Amino acid sequence: MTAPARITVLSGGIGGARFLVGLLAHLRATDPDGRGGTRTEVTVIGNTGDDIWVHGMRVCPDLDTVMYTLGGGISAERGWGREGETFTVKEELAAYGVEPTWFGLGDKDLATHLIRTQSLQSGYTLSEVTAALCDHWQPGVTLLPMSDDRAETHVVVDDPDQGRVAIHFQEWWIRHRAALPAHAFVMVGIEEARPAPGVLEAIAEADLVLLPPSNPVVSVGAILQVRGIAEALRSTPAPVVGVSPIIGGAPVRGMADACLTTIGVQTSAAAVGLHYGARTAGGYVDAWLVADTDAEALEPLRAAGIAAACAPLLMSDPETTAALAAATLALVPARWP
Ligand code: FO1
C-alpha cells in the first residue's frame, strides 16, 4: 500500500509532537522523496487553546512544541522548550517579584516569543508568524494554528480565598499540576474564533486524518470547539484514525485523567474512543488504536462502529514511535491505489 498523499493531524501537547516524529520517520522510510523527506504532505493543525500572554509576550506552547520537536530544538527531557535551555531572565524577573514566577520562561525560548509578539503587534496573523518561524525550524510539516483568533482555555476552580474563579489553563497545568479540581473548561473567545486559513481545507482534502495521543479534552477537544472544525471532521471523505492517549487506565504523560474527569469521561482507552464516537454515528473517528494491554477495549469500540486494534503505544524512541505510526496507518482500510 503506498502512503496517502496528504495526511492531516490534529495535535496538541507533547504526545502529539512525539507521535509526529514517528509518523514522519515511518513515511520517510516507506514513502521517501529521495531527498531525505517523504512524498506524503503532512499538515498539522495545532492547538492554540494553551496560548498565554506572559510578561507581555504571546506564548504558543503547542505550536512551539511541534516546531521544536520536529525542527530538532526540543528539550528531550522536558518535552517542551529548548534543549540546553537556561532560565536567567526568568530568575531576574522573579528577583523583581514579577508574576508569573511559576511559568518556565526559557532564555532561548524567549527569542521565539519576542519575534512572535513583535510580528503580531505589527499586524501579522498567527498563521503568518507560525509559517515564518517554521521557515527557520523546517519541521517537515505544514503547521497551522487552529485559529488566528484568541481562544484560550481557562479552568473553573475553587480558590480558597476568592471562591469559584476561572484561571488560565497554564496556571492550572503548571502551577497547580492539574491537582486543583476543575469544575469546567471554558474557552475564552471561542465564539468569535474562526478556523485559520487552510484548516478546514486540510481536513476536507486530506486522504487521512489522524488524532494522535494528545489530550482529548484540552488539546484535540479545544481544536474541535473552533467553529466549523468539528463539522469538517465529521464530514471529511478521509478516514479518521485515532490513537488512545490512555494506556491501562492512565495517561501516558500529562494529566489527561484530570481533564477527562472534569467532563465526566472515564480514564480508559475505550471511554476516550467512545467519547470521540464513531463517524457512522455522528462522531469523529472511524478507527481507534489501543495498547496491547487494553484488549478489553476492542469489543465495546467495535460494537459502537469504531474499527479497533491493539498495538504497542509507548513512544519511547523514534523507532517504536514509527512502529506506532505504521500500526495507525495499518488501521486504515486500503484505499490508495
Ligand atoms: N510545562 C510545565 O510543566 N512547566 C513549565 O514551566 C512550562 C513552561 C512552558 C513554556 C513554554 C512552552 O511552550 C511550554 C511550557 N510548558 C511548561 C509546557 C506547557 O505548559 C504544556 O506542554 C502545554 O501547554 C500542554 O500541552
Side-chain angles (χ1 to χ4, degrees):
M1 173 187 82
T2 56
R6 287 160 302 182
I7 298 180
T8 296
V9 186
L10 275 60
S11 178
I14 296 160
R18 288 225 165 112
F19 177 82
L20 286 164
V21 170
L23 177 64
L24 287 179
H26 173 71
L27 291 172
R28 285 167 178 158
T30 58
D31 189 25
D33 64 359
R35 299 189 307 277
T38 171
R39 292 178 303 172
T40 301
E41 181 191 329
V42 179
T43 300
V44 178
I45 297 171
N47 170 42
T48 57
D50 293 3
D51 294 5
I52 183 171
W53 283 104
V54 170
H55 304 303
M57 294 177 294
R58 191 65 176 164
V59 177
C60 301
D62 284 358
L63 297 180
D64 291 351
T65 295
V66 171
M67 187 172 73
Y68 291 156
T69 301
L70 299 183
I74 197 75
S75 159
E77 177 216 349
R78 287 191 303 272
W80 55 266
R82 293 286 304 280
E83 190 61 57
E85 185 62 282
T86 53
F87 294 91
T88 306
V89 172
K90 175 179 186 283
E91 287 150 18
E92 286 303 299
L93 286 164
Y96 274 108
V98 171
E99 289 299 335
T101 51
W102 47 263
F103 189 82
L105 181 70
D107 298 321
K108 289 184 178 180
D109 207 16
L110 208 48
T112 300
H113 309 326
L114 287 170
I115 291 171
R116 180 186 289 120
T117 303
Q118 287 166 346
S119 303
L120 291 173
Q121 287 168 348
S122 305
Y124 291 100
T125 64
L126 182 57
S127 295
E128 290 164 334
V129 176
T130 304
L133 292 169
C134 285
D135 193 43
H136 170 70
W137 284 99
Q138 294 296 309
V141 301
T142 300
L143 177 57
L144 304 176
M146 68 188 196
S147 175
D148 283 342
D149 305 313
R150 180 171 178 255
E152 284 178 13
T153 302
H154 287 237
V155 189
V156 178
V157 297
D158 289 328
D159 177 278
D161 308 321
Q162 305 171 62
R164 188 151 294 191
V165 293
I167 61 175
H168 192 284
F169 169 78
Q170 292 298 342
E171 182 169 2
W172 183 68
W173 189 261
I174 298 173
R175 187 180 188 190
H176 298 290
R177 306 308 307 159
L180 215 50
H183 295 287
F185 297 104
V186 290
M187 291 198 73
V188 175
I190 195 67
E191 295 76 19
E192 296 76 36
R194 289 146 299 160
V199 163
L200 296 183
E201 294 81 353
I203 296 172
E205 295 164 14
D207 297 296
L208 172 63
V209 178
L210 297 179
L211 302 186
S214 296
N215 188 310
V217 182
V218 293
S219 288
V220 176
I223 296 171
L224 291 176
Q225 287 197 49
V226 175
R227 188 189 318 161
I229 293 182
E231 180 44 41
L233 196 59
R234 281 194 292 264
S235 56
T236 178
V240 180
V241 180
V243 179
S244 177
I246 305 296
I247 297 180
V252 177
R253 61 174 301 118
M255 289 79 82
D257 44 348
C259 303
L260 287 164
T261 301
T262 297
I263 65 166
V265 174
Q266 188 194 1
T267 298
S268 75
V272 175
L274 295 170
H275 168 63
Y276 282 125
R279 288 224 292 169
T280 51
Y284 299 111
V285 294
D286 296 304
W288 187 248
L289 199 60
V290 303
D292 293 318
T293 52
D294 289 320
E296 77 282 355
L298 298 179
E299 194 278 325
L301 287 162
R302 289 167 179 162
I306 299 171
C310 288
L313 294 197
L314 276 180
M315 302 186 283
S316 38
D317 53 50
E319 288 70 35
T320 53
T321 310
L324 168 54
T328 307
L329 297 183
L331 255 186
V332 180
R335 295 164 53 107
W336 301 289

